[in-house]
Amino acid sequence: MYKMMIVDDEPLVRLAMHHLIDWQALHIKIVCEAGDGVEGLALLKTRSDVDLLLVDIQMPRMNGIELLKALNDPGLPKRPIPIILSAYSDYSYVREAFLLGAMDYIVKVDMDEEHIIPVITKAVEELMRLGDVSIREEMGQAEKQLVQQSDKDALLHRLLDFDPKEDTGLFEQWLLSANGLLNETNEIAIVIQIARGIDTTKLHGFIQQTIQSVLHEMSILHEMVRREAGEYVLLCAFPHDRSESAIRAHIHSLLTMVQTRLLQYVNASISVGISDLANGCRHWPRLYQQAKQLAAKSYFAGLGKLFYRESATQSSGVKDKGDHALWDDLKAGRLVLLQVMKHPDESQWILEYELLEKRLHHASQEPPDRLRAFFVDVLWELGAVLYAKGIRLEEVQPTSHNPFDEIKQMETLEETQQYVKQLLQRAHSAIHGNSLMNAVRYSPSIANAKKFLDLHYREEINQSLISEMVGVSESYLSKQFVKEVGCNFIHYLTKLRIEEAKQLLEKGIKISDISERIGYLNPEHFSRIFKKMTGFSPKAYRESLGRE
């Protein structure tokens, strides 16, 4: 195994690097880390086993460039191959890093498998060429293991899709040939669904590694398979637990840890369905379907929740109607709503839409995709009303995205209802020639959040407080803010603060006073943020203006 050291002043970056990549598959082991160049150099002077150095450019005390220069010290036991971590604004430093012997660089915002693996593979090939360690035979063995894992995944997919009712004898025969599958007591299926707004194609390796690492940490007997984009199935067994309450305690700890890490590293919310207990692998297809249906409950209850079997019968105090009666009511409500859109009094369509929302509360046992299809029908019929007035649906959409695609990507019923209400409001204004169409395209909740930030950015503010103030969920605010404003909540807040800091620096105010005035109690933290946003320290920025 090649040995690697990480040098970065951000603990979260160092922690994330441990889990972003399956380092073992690349024959790399992270053996040590440091918070700045001084610590890194001190470690290198005492170790002769570091082959690769992953080093950040911007660090306090000794930055990455200074550390690369120090690697030429003949007193070092070994000179590792350096790879640079940089921000987009660091390109001048990156050029200097190459002159000092850096192998390659990774931009921090692109820290995923697609961008990291080619760089690391290139470094490993260079180490092999230099003859530091010969691992060709090991790599061949690793490829063989990947093929075996692929075969196992195919087997698991086949198992979960199997319907034993069709041919019980064939199912029993197939199970006998399925070597290596869990066939224990106290088996349970767990379906983890990643929020739709997350690009799981790029982050799949990291997500899978995060889940696997927690399973191993807790010593849970399991198989894991990715069914589709954003859906991960865990087949777990607890043969040594004697009670369901003990098993649930293990599962709760497992999933809480997974959720915390995914939120922390990639801002990914999850919903989770957890099946009944059963014994023997013949039950896996049924347990999987049950867990999948439970995970879909997040559309009605919100993300970040665990759904057990009792969730299937829980309701919000509203009794579900029969299937035909429910959809007849919804269709009738939809037709009335589209009719009153033609009336100039907007209170009429608002009243009908609120009645329609109440009817939708009866649909909590319906598949989310059926509800999404219902809203797509609303859009089609609204499009026809607009077309009769010479208006296209695209002219009134609240965001720059296709409204039909937006509906299909909505995480929750609440989010969907709010989006459609925005669309109806803009459509009604367009139909009746009101001035709303000339306004900036911010939804009421995002407009209120943005206005509050613009006025109170100097104060202690967090996303939870804002979401409660504007009356939407935190996950909805986070996702919608990026869509409408073009950057996330924290970045927008930081930009406001840094812009004021620039003005205060021009006035000659002390840096420590500026820090406190714009909401940063720690001047050193303020200086780091300022440098990351502008490329200059506050002092250097002031000097660039010709001030002492």
Side-chain angles (χ1 to χ4, degrees):
M1 300 288 286
Y2 290 120
K3 308 295 195 305
M4 185 169 79
M5 174 200 260
I6 302 172
V7 186
D8 195 298
D9 62 319
E10 297 182 66
L12 271 181
V13 172
R14 299 200 304 269
L15 185 60
M17 287 303 298
H18 281 267
H19 300 283
L20 279 169
I21 299 295
D22 183 359
W23 295 106
Q24 188 172 0
L26 295 169
H27 295 273
I28 291 173
K29 182 179 181 182
I30 300 172
V31 293
C32 55
E33 55 183 61
D36 58 46
V38 173
E39 290 180 18
L41 184 59
L43 280 170
L44 289 172
K45 287 180 178 178
T46 63
R47 304 189 66 124
S48 61
D49 62 340
V50 178
D51 304 297
L52 288 171
L53 184 66
L54 199 59
V55 57
D56 188 19
I57 283 183
Q58 300 287 359
M59 294 184 293
R61 297 208 295 171
M62 179 186 284
N63 64 29
I65 297 298
E66 292 166 334
L67 179 56
L68 291 187
K69 290 176 181 177
L71 294 182
N72 295 320
D73 183 353
L76 286 181
K78 184 177 184 179
R79 188 187 193 282
I81 290 180
I83 296 170
I84 295 297
L85 287 173
S86 76
Y88 275 125
S89 59
D90 291 337
Y91 280 133
S92 60
Y93 292 111
V94 170
R95 287 194 294 272
E96 188 175 355
F98 275 115
L99 294 175
L100 292 170
M103 164 68 67
D104 210 330
Y105 72 98
I106 298 166
V107 179
K108 281 193 172 183
V109 294
D110 292 333
M111 288 205 309
D112 52 45
E113 281 188 323
E114 181 184 351
H115 294 89
I116 295 176
I117 287 181
V119 174
I120 300 298
T121 302
K122 177 182 172 183
V124 169
E125 289 172 353
E126 178 63 12
L127 285 169
M128 290 176 64
R129 188 186 68 79
L130 295 172
D132 284 43
V133 183
S134 177
I135 57 167
R136 296 184 185 276
E137 291 183 4
E138 292 181 29
M139 291 184 72
Q141 183 63 29
E143 289 177 3
K144 183 179 179 182
Q145 289 174 356
L146 286 173
V147 171
Q148 291 173 344
Q149 183 61 47
S150 178
D151 291 342
K152 192 172 192 178
D153 287 347
L155 197 64
L156 289 166
H157 279 286
R158 186 180 176 191
L159 170 67
L160 297 179
D161 288 332
F162 213 108
D163 184 359
K165 295 178 182 178
E166 294 181 4
D167 191 332
T168 305
L170 179 61
F171 186 64
E172 296 287 346
Q173 183 181 357
W174 181 78
L175 285 177
L176 289 173
S177 67
N179 295 325
L181 290 177
L182 287 177
N183 191 18
E184 300 281 350
T185 56
N186 291 336
E187 295 173 342
I188 199 162
I190 300 172
V191 170
I192 298 175
Q193 291 184 341
I194 310 296
R196 290 179 172 225
I198 301 298
D199 186 354
T200 54
T201 303
K202 289 185 177 181
L203 295 173
H204 163 61
F206 172 69
I207 293 169
Q208 183 168 276
Q209 183 70 18
T210 299
I211 298 171
Q212 287 280 23
S213 65
V214 178
L215 285 162
H216 287 302
E217 286 172 27
M218 298 187 63
S219 301
I220 294 175
L221 196 60
H222 72 278
E223 296 287 357
M224 177 177 172
V225 63
R226 183 193 190 195
R227 288 290 289 168
E228 55 191 46
E231 180 181 295
Y232 296 84
V233 183
L234 310 183
L235 308 180
C236 300
F238 301 85
H240 305 299
D241 287 290
R242 296 178 178 272
S243 69
E244 185 171 357
S245 61
I247 292 171
R248 285 202 176 189
H250 288 312
I251 290 172
H252 184 79
S253 297
L254 161 74
L255 296 170
T256 300
M257 203 177 303
V258 168
Q259 183 175 46
T260 299
R261 291 186 183 181
L262 291 178
L263 270 173
Q264 189 176 39
Y265 298 152
V266 290
N267 197 29
S269 297
I270 61 174
S271 59
V272 184
I274 303 151
S275 75
D276 287 331
L277 287 169
N279 300 325
C281 59
R282 72 185 73 253
H283 295 287
W284 285 129
R286 176 182 65 80
L287 296 179
Y288 163 64
Q289 290 299 330
Q290 184 185 41
K292 184 178 177 69
Q293 290 169 11
L294 288 169
K297 291 284 175 186
S298 64
Y299 187 71
F300 303 97
L303 295 169
K305 295 182 174 62
L306 311 183
F307 300 97
Y308 292 92
R309 64 177 181 272
E310 54 266 28
S311 305
T313 55
Q314 288 177 349
S315 67
S316 58
V318 181
K319 186 176 179 181
D320 283 3
K321 297 186 176 184
D323 184 72
H324 290 299
L326 168 67
W327 290 101
D328 286 347
D329 278 357
L330 287 174
K331 184 177 180 181
R334 188 178 75 214
L335 293 174
V336 172
L337 171 66
L338 272 300
Q339 282 299 317
V340 298
M341 286 291 291
K342 300 172 185 177
H343 195 282
D345 181 3
E346 70 170 2
S347 65
Q348 292 197 23
W349 78 260
I350 291 174
L351 175 63
E352 288 301 328
Y353 189 68
E354 288 173 350
L355 291 172
L356 187 63
E357 287 182 321
K358 289 179 181 178
R359 291 187 179 103
L360 287 165
H361 283 287
H362 293 284
S364 62
Q365 302 302 323
E366 295 294 320
D369 282 343
R370 190 169 186 185
L371 271 296
R372 291 187 180 101
F374 170 79
F375 283 108
V376 166
D377 288 342
V378 172
L379 262 58
W380 278 115
E381 291 170 5
L382 176 63
V385 173
L386 289 166
Y387 185 77
K389 295 287 186 177
I391 305 166
R392 293 183 299 111
L393 185 63
E394 292 79 5
E395 294 176 41
V396 301
Q397 62 195 45
T399 70
S400 60
H401 301 278
N402 182 295
F404 295 99
D405 292 338
E406 289 273 42
I407 292 294
K408 292 173 185 175
Q409 292 300 316
M410 294 291 175
E411 303 284 2
T412 65
L413 179 60
E414 175 198 10
E415 184 182 0
T416 310
Q417 289 176 163
Q418 289 191 17
Y419 176 81
V420 172
K421 189 173 184 178
Q422 285 178 246
L423 190 60
L424 289 167
Q425 186 176 35
R426 296 183 64 82
H428 186 270
S429 296
I431 290 168
H432 300 287
N434 295 341
S435 60
L436 178 66
M437 290 305 298
N438 297 322
V440 176
R441 290 185 174 189
Y442 292 132
S443 62
S445 57
I446 300 303
N448 288 335
K450 186 175 177 297
K451 182 178 179 181
F452 186 88
L453 285 171
D454 290 343
L455 294 173
H456 302 280
Y457 62 86
R458 304 172 189 86
E459 303 167 16
E460 187 175 342
I461 297 175
N462 59 58
Q463 195 164 288
S464 177
L465 171 70
I466 299 292
S467 64
E468 188 175 343
M469 187 195 72
V470 300
V472 297
S473 67
E474 194 171 340
S475 61
Y476 175 81
L477 177 66
S478 174
K479 184 177 177 181
Q480 201 64 21
F481 199 95
V482 172
K483 282 184 179 178
E484 296 188 29
V485 181
C487 63
N488 65 38
F489 176 92
I490 296 297
H491 189 73
Y492 185 78
L493 174 62
T494 304
K495 282 200 301 183
L496 291 174
R497 289 175 168 177
I498 297 304
E499 285 306 312
E500 173 152 348
K502 288 179 181 178
Q503 295 176 24
L504 296 174
L505 284 167
E506 291 176 14
K507 294 177 181 178
I509 297 173
K510 287 174 59 178
I511 291 172
S512 58
D513 291 343
I514 293 173
S515 173
E516 186 174 350
R517 191 178 294 191
I518 64 171
Y520 294 111
L521 298 180
N522 186 333
E524 291 183 2
H525 177 61
F526 159 63
S527 295
R528 285 197 297 271
I529 296 293
F530 190 93
K531 188 168 185 178
K532 286 194 174 184
M533 293 292 288
T534 66
F536 296 93
S537 68
K539 183 180 178 182
Y541 182 82
R542 173 174 282 159
E543 289 172 351
S544 73
L545 299 173
R547 295 185 179 272
E548 296 299 324

